[in-house]
Amino acid sequence: MNKKDLALLLSHELDIPKHKTTKAVAVLFDAIVAQLDKGREVNISGFGVFASEPVTVYASSTRRLAPALQATHTIRRPTFRPSNGLTRKLSA
């Protein structure tokens, strides 16, 4: 399922025009990304927690696996922790 499928599902279930649900889905995902970019968590009750964690990127030497690793910069990697309720539903 992708964003387009989610918008179509919302449109059918709520009897709202597709262009409005497409925008609503885009706004939702943009809001999640914006919070993750600020280093904040997004907790959706009963579903899970979206977060981002800092990860250091290294430049390495490939000559005979030499241990010449140097940290070049840090990036934020998105993570997801499912809620217990979601985990139980998928395990049933």
Side-chain angles (χ1 to χ4, degrees):
M1 179 173 272
N2 56 30
K3 289 196 284 186
K4 182 180 177 183
D5 296 334
L6 287 171
L8 284 172
L9 178 67
L10 282 174
S11 179
H12 291 298
E13 290 290 323
L14 301 176
D15 198 27
I16 298 174
K18 184 181 153 194
H19 70 276
K20 289 186 177 185
T21 58
T22 300
K23 183 169 181 154
V25 170
V27 168
L28 174 68
F29 282 103
D30 289 346
I32 291 172
V33 170
Q35 293 302 305
L36 295 177
D37 192 40
K38 294 176 184 176
R40 298 180 180 156
E41 290 186 347
V42 177
N43 185 349
I44 301 173
S45 183
F47 188 73
V49 178
F50 294 93
S52 61
E53 60 184 24
V55 177
T56 304
V57 177
Y58 293 94
S60 65
S61 171
T62 57
R63 285 189 253 163
R64 299 271 182 178
L65 301 175
L69 293 176
Q70 295 178 356
T72 58
H73 61 283
T74 302
I75 60 171
R76 299 198 70 78
R77 179 177 59 188
T79 61
F80 176 72
R81 292 186 313 269
S83 70
N84 290 336
L86 179 62
T87 302
R88 273 187 250 117
K89 282 184 180 181
L90 295 177
S91 297

